[in-house]
């Protein structure tokens, strides 16, 4: 498509994937990346941290991302590009190259036969001119595959990876942790692999003279953990010493010390490997000892392992490596240095301070499923590790952390959790005498499952999204330092069913539908709108608050209830001694905290303090809700549910009424005409018409009669029409209501006459638009372009969004499209233009909100 005007993202909201290694912070430019659905999200490099772009190449969920690690020996100034690696459920490993916010897939590495779960990578300077890059990936096909690339004169762009080695896990086990590093003194590449058999194997890259090639050989096995190994990290506090940290599902962290010693008076030895007490063993003997020949008797093997474990607890284990560069033998000793216990659940991550080799005190962070992140430091005076700080969630219906890491400068610590949320803390490096203090910092995340619907509020200043992650999220603007940035400001609804549809009733009320038969109406509490005003400086909200005295102060959730209850007054303690008479009274309610915000809320605040009280339930549908719409006068709600028969494919209309000075909605009409599920409904801008499109391949237009205020079917096409041959996914009205557009799975877009058309005008206006893929969402811009053409946005099954101009005389004309790095990677579910637009430089600037099955909501700006 020819791009006439660029489409730029204002805001991207997306959660992190539910995988342990799906986030990393590093590279030459200290950039933060994380796995988001089938994409990799790249964030800005300063507060407030927000997604700048997403990179799409994988076809299934991305499981892990990793910046290629630097060692002190790498000449960073010679590197012409940044590089990171991603692995996916699609069995591929992808190398990305680029800089700033532009990265491209450079090479796709294939070979795994199943889901690739983890990856690690490292640069290795061989001789100051040749740079070798190693990538290790592990999959549930029980293999670890190692790729290497040799770059002459650090030329990364003109060199490619080749598969170097395949390590097969014993007993069809899985590798769950990988870590590259360099052995001290010899500087030989070291690879540590943690398995589900509770063991960690140490592989060193050595030269095999008989085969005349370099390969990773297992030289030692660390035994001690009692459950799956979840993470491994390494630091080098001294020139001849490594400290290895491992975490496990046994809730313990183990620290192992590896030290080197150069042997000056060593006899000439024919093998490169010596194991314990200077006993010469050839490589096959060593392989028998640590890899266990498959034919060996299982009982005898078990006894030997127990014996080895006892020895490890009593003394250091030794192995010796012959270093060709130094032409001598280096003896390495490994012993268990310490065992840390500070978590009550699986520990998914251990990470050392990234600058410990520069004289920093030994510092370690660990993140666990017990909802806590712990900062550990080594007390040299007492020779013990102490937990100096803890952070995390308290309460809430959440699980713990999947991972955490430092940023390269160690100013921040970031963690990600089961529900896709990002947690960021800033460390007090300016005042170290006060100890380790973690202060929450601002970072955007988002939904972690399909985002089903999106809607703007009547004033067009903020919008809501609903998702299959069972949450409704409020997105608004934060005015700070002379700029506006978009953030998730609230989470009005945390439900027990997957949410499907949402629509604002007025500025402080919305209605939502989920995979249940009930519509629910929510009203904003006063404290929430006050906080939104403090962040956005939206004067219309201030005026609204001054005129609305009846708003509740907040919302709470009973311990044994499902509905958000309104709280109007301060909580009193008069009845503290009263004996409970109901089941709910046995447990205290979890009340919100009245917190005045000066910056966007953290994940903990969103979960507990931004709920909206539920004011009404609407019963009447026989199956799960699927679509909802509210008219422009904000007095009628139209709703529809899933249907496989015409009697269930009805639109129920709910009318606002005033009972005892309380506004509520009551069912007053049903509209028939469709045969299957109604997937979307749209009221015209004048409120006179209601348009609906259905799975039965038809659209129906209902007109409001002035005499009785009821809607009647006035026009429509049947399910056996000559235009749309598949489900019609979406529809929308032009700003003047003269036309409406429909988009279908049959890859066709039609424009039809809207208001004031005769009954027999059920034919499309002009020619239709035939496209190469299914269209799942469409939207008219809120005003004509400056050239007097209509602007239509189309969302596709692939995640792409394109813009077309349309006029009665010339039909459809390509105009613009969203770049791949800003696009969704899965089906676009809904498009919604902001009705407010801006005029700049003889152009109109439009804002388009979109949501997708990739779990993201995005806001774009376009001039036309």
């Amino acid at each position: 498509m020819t791009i006439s005007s660029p489409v730029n993202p204002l805001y991207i909201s997306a959660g992190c994937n539910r995988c342990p290694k799906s986030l990393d912070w590093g590279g030459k430019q200290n950039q933060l990346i994380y796995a988001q659905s089938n994409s990799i999200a790249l964030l800005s490099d300063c507060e407030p941290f927000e997604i700048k772009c997403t990179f799409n190449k994988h076809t299934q969920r991305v499981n892990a991302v990793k910046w290629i690690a630097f060692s002190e020996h790498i000449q960073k100034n010679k590197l012409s590009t940044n590089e990171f690696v991603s692995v996916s459920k699609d069995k591929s490993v992808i190398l990305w190259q680029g800089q700033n916010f532009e990265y491209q897939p450079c090479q796709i590495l294939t070979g795994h036969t199943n889901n690739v779960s983890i990856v690690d990578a490292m640069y290795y300077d061989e001789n100051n001119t040749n740079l070798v890059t190693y990538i290790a990936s592990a999959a549930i096909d029980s293999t670890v595959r190692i790729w290497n690339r040799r770059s002459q004169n650090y030329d990364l762009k003109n060199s490619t990876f080749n598969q170097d080695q395949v390590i097969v896990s014993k007993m069809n086990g899985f590798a769950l942790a990988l870590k590259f590093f360099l052995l001290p003194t010899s500087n030989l590449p070291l690879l540590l692999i943690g398995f589900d058999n509770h063991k960690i194997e140490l592989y060193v890259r050595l030269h095999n003279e008989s085969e005349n090639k370099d390969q990773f050989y297992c030289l030692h096995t660390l035994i001690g953990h009692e459950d799956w190994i979840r993470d491994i990290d390494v630091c080098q506090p001294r020139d001849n010493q490594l400290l290895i940290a491992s975490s496990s599902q046994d809730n313990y962290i183990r620290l192992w010390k590896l030290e080197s010693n150069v042997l000056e008076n060593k006899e000439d030895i024919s093998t490169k490997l010596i194991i314990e007490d200077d006993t010469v063993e050839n490589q096959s003997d060593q392989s028998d000892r640590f890899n266990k020949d498959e034919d060996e008797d299982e009982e005898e093997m078990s006894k030997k392992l127990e014996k080895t474990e006892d020895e490890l607890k009593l003394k250091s284990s030794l192995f010796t490596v012959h270093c060709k560069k130094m032409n001598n033998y280096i003896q390495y000793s490994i012993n268990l240095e310490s065992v840390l216990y500070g978590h009550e659940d699986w520990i998914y991550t251990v990470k050392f301070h990234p600058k410990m080799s520069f004289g920093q005190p030994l510092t370690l962070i660990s993140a666990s499923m017990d909802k806590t992140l712990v900062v550990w430091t080594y007390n040299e005076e007492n020779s013990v590790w102490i937990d100096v700080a803890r952070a995390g969630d308290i309460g809430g219906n959440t699980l713990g952390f999947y991972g955490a890491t430092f940023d390269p400068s160690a100013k921040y610590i970031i963690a990600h959790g089961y529900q896709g949320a990002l947690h960021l803390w800033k460390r007090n490096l300016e005042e170290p005498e006060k100890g380790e203090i973690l202060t929450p910092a601002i970072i955007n995340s988002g939904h972690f499952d399909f985002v089903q619907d999106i809607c703007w509020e009547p004033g067009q200043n903020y919008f809501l999204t609903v998702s299959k992650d069972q949450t409704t999220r409020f997105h608004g603007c934060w005015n700070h330092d002379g700029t506006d940035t978009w953030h998730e400001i609230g989470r009005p609804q945390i439900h027990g069913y997957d949410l499907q549809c949402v629509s604002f009733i007025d500025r402080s009320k919305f209605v939502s539908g989920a995979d249940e038969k009930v519509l629910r109406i929510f009203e904003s509490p006063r404290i929430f709108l006050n906080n939104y005003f403090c962040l956005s400086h939206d004067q219309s909200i201030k005026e609204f608050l001054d005129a609305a005295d009846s708003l509740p102060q907040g919302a709470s959730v009973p311990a044994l209830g499902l509905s958000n209850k309104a709280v109007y007054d301060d909580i009193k303690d008069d009845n503290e001694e009263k004996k409970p008479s109901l089941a709910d009274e046995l447990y205290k309610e979890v009340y919100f905290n009245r917190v005045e915000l000066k910056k966007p809320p953290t994940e903990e605040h969103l979960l507990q303090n931004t709920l909206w009280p539920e004011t009404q339930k609407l019963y009447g549908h026989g199956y799960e809700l699927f679509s909802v719409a509210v008219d422009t006068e904000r007095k009628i709600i139209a709703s529809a549910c899933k249907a496989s028969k015409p009697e269930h494919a009805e639109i129920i209309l709910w009318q606002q009424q005033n009972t005892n000075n309380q506004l509520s909605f009551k069912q007053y009409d049903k509209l028939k005409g469709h045969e299957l599920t109604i997937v979307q409904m749209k009221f015209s801008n004048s409120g006179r018409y209601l348009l609906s499109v259905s799975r039965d391949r038809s659209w129906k237009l209902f007109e409001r009669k002035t005499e009785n205020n009821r809607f009647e079917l006035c026009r429509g096409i049947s399910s056996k029409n000559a235009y749309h041959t598949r489900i019609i996914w979406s529809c929308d009205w032009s700003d003047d209501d003269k036309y409406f557009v429909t988009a279908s799975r049959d890859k066709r877009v039609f424009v039809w006459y809207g208001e004031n058309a005769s009954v027999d005008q059920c034919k499309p206006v002009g020619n239709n638009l035939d496209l190469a893929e299914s269209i799942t969402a469409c939207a008219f811009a809120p005003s004509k372009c400056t050239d007097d053409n209509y602007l239509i946005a189309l969302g596709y099954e692939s995640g792409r969004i394109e813009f077309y101009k349309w006029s009665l005389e010339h039909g459809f004309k390509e105009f613009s499209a969203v770049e791949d790095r800003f696009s969704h990677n899965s089906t676009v579910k809904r498009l919604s233009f902001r009705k407010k637009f801006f005029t700049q430089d003889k152009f109109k600037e439009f804002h388009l909100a979109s949501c997708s099955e990739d779990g993201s909501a995005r806001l774009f700006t376009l001039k036309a």
Side-chain angles (χ1 to χ4, degrees), residues 459-476:
Q460 306 298 307
N461 290 322
Y462 46 87
F463 62 90
L464 290 176
T465 56
V466 293
S467 166
K468 284 194 171 185
D469 67 7
Q470 304 182 352
T471 64
T472 301
R473 306 196 184 209
F474 179 106
H475 307 266

Side-chain angles (χ1 to χ4, degrees), residues 627-650:
S627 57
V628 68
V630 177
D631 76 328
T632 52
E633 294 180 359
R634 308 294 162 185
K635 293 183 178 180
I636 294 178
I637 297 174
S639 61
C641 69
K642 292 180 181 178
S644 57
K645 296 179 180 180
E647 55 263 33
H648 299 297
E650 296 177 332

Side-chain angles (χ1 to χ4, degrees), residues 534-571:
C534 292
L535 294 175
S536 66
H537 303 157
D538 183 352
Q539 292 299 323
S540 61
I541 285 291
K542 186 67 175 174
E543 296 168 2
F544 178 82
L545 280 168
D546 293 339
D549 298 327
S550 60
L551 290 177
Q553 287 296 324
S556 65
V557 182
L560 300 180
L562 295 175
S563 301
N564 304 345
K565 290 175 112 179
V567 177
Y568 289 92
D569 301 312
D570 291 335
I571 304 164

Side-chain angles (χ1 to χ4, degrees), residues 702-725:
F702 301 89
E703 184 179 5
R704 189 202 301 251
K705 300 299 180 182
T706 54
E707 57 271 13
N708 56 10
N709 202 34
R710 291 185 178 272
F711 283 84
E712 294 182 4
L713 179 62
C714 64
R715 280 190 292 139
I717 60 174
S718 69
S719 59
K720 296 180 180 179
N721 65 85
Y723 310 108
H724 284 303
T725 58

Side-chain angles (χ1 to χ4, degrees), residues 8 31 111 147 221 279 284 340 357 442 461 582 740 744 758 806:
N8 296 311
Q31 293 177 305
W147 285 269
T221 302
T279 303
S284 61
L340 308 183
S357 56
I442 304 167
N461 290 322
L582 300 173
F740 63 85
S744 168
S758 60
W806 182 85

